[in-house]
Amino acid sequence: MRILVLGFSGYLGGHVARELRALPGVRFFGAGRGPAADLAVDLATVAPGQLAERFYSFAPDAVINCAGAVGPQAVSLAEANVRGPAVLCAALREAAPAARLVHLGSAAEYGPTGIGERVTEEAAARPSTLYGATKLAGTLAVTSSGLDAVVLRVTNPVGPGAPAAGLPGRLARQLRDLGPRGVVRLGDLSAHRDFVDARDVAHAAVLAATAAGPLPPLLNIGSGRAVPVRELVHELAHAAGFGGRFEEGAEGSARSADVPWQCSDPGAARTTLGWSPRHRLADSVSALWAAVHGDPDREPVH
């Protein structure tokens, strides 16, 4: 089976690539902007026809799209999260219309939900952030493409390779640089989030790419358990042996204020793919700390 992964050198794409390389009977191809890519491409700028021409030579049986943007810039978000999936779908319709497309979406597409609610795929999507809105637009491009496609709506990934742009990766680097004592100032940590291990996300993507028969258009990928962000911080402090102090302020991200609770129901993924998370939050945080602490000079591609 020939599987091509877009964004293979990024956070989630890297975990997908590692799992595919070890999977018997799979020929893996990496696509992206890095020099190690088998297919050098930037979905934010490539034309659909140009991408289709390049796909012909790879003849993929499945494509996993892990490319995307999370930063605050509206243009970058639109190019990567909206234009990218649309161009990818257009190219696949021309060059590999029978290929399975697995696209990584986001639980941010759902927007605010009720406290205590576990959101299913049938819930209305009402994103409250620009990031969530662009991810939803990308999802619609995929689900309306007519391809054999599934969107995995991922909750909050955590684990080895977590980039410094997010709280887990940023805090791990702070604790590494600060040492066992000191003061770390953070925003409000009371929001509840559904954390899922990045390696479990990768496993879900691989299962979706290799599953026989049609799949639902949407599948939630999360732990199914919401915990205060404060719990993640304390788990990371424990893993790091940090004996200093956290000062928690009222100020925080706009999303934390707008979405105080986020939790997805992964039941459909369990039924359809036989998938369930294999790592606890403590495992994810320990692996993140080991990666950051053990290789202090390396910054992951994201």
Side-chain angles (χ1 to χ4, degrees):
M1 188 175 189
R2 301 164 67 89
I3 301 180
L4 188 146
V5 178
L6 288 142
F8 79 105
S9 61
Y11 174 30
L12 296 178
H15 287 289
V16 171
R18 277 186 285 278
E19 181 153 343
L20 286 175
R21 287 187 176 113
L23 195 63
V26 168
R27 187 173 180 188
F28 165 80
F29 301 99
R33 293 176 292 183
D38 298 299
L39 170 58
V41 65
D42 183 353
L43 290 181
T45 58
V46 69
Q50 291 175 320
L51 185 57
E53 289 179 6
R54 299 177 191 179
F55 276 158
Y56 281 117
S57 60
F58 289 94
D61 298 299
V63 173
I64 303 176
N65 182 28
C66 303
V70 297
Q73 299 300 322
V75 173
S76 298
L77 288 173
E79 288 175 342
N81 298 342
V82 184
R83 183 187 191 278
V87 167
L88 174 60
C89 290
L92 285 175
R93 282 196 300 267
E94 180 178 341
R100 162 75 50 79
L101 171 59
V102 179
H103 175 72
L104 297 191
S106 171
E109 298 170 39
Y110 289 120
T113 61
I115 302 296
E117 182 180 356
R118 296 172 79 215
V119 178
T120 68
E121 292 83 355
E122 286 73 36
R126 301 188 184 94
S128 61
T129 64
L130 182 58
Y131 169 73
T134 59
K135 290 298 289 184
L136 177 58
T139 286
L140 293 174
V142 171
T143 57
S144 64
S145 66
L147 296 167
D148 175 11
V150 58
V151 175
L152 305 183
R153 277 186 171 158
V154 179
T155 56
N156 292 264
V158 61
L167 174 64
R170 182 172 66 253
L171 181 57
R173 289 160 177 80
Q174 283 182 285
L175 296 180
R176 178 196 66 195
D177 297 340
L178 192 61
R181 298 287 175 183
V183 177
V184 179
R185 293 175 177 83
L186 299 167
D188 182 9
L189 303 175
S190 63
H192 284 64
R193 292 289 178 264
D194 183 339
F195 293 104
V196 62
D197 195 284
R199 295 163 293 184
D200 288 331
V201 175
H203 187 55
V206 171
L207 288 175
T210 56
L215 294 175
L218 299 173
L219 287 173
N220 287 336
I221 302 298
S223 70
R225 172 176 174 260
V227 301
V229 176
R230 191 178 296 113
E231 182 173 324
L232 177 140
V233 170
H234 290 163
E235 289 283 5
L236 186 51
H238 176 74
F242 180 67
R245 188 173 78 254
F246 293 106
E247 290 186 355
E248 185 177 341
E251 68 282 352
S253 72
R255 181 166 180 254
S256 294
D258 293 342
V259 187
W261 173 276
Q262 182 262 317
C263 186
S264 293
D265 184 342
R270 183 165 48 250
T271 301
T272 306
L273 301 177
W275 176 88
S276 59
R278 298 176 292 185
H279 299 86
R280 299 178 300 114
L281 179 59
D283 301 329
S284 306
V285 167
S286 294
L288 166 59
W289 172 249
V292 169
H293 184 258
D295 198 1
D297 295 324
R298 177 181 178 273
E299 291 294 333
V301 177
H302 49 83

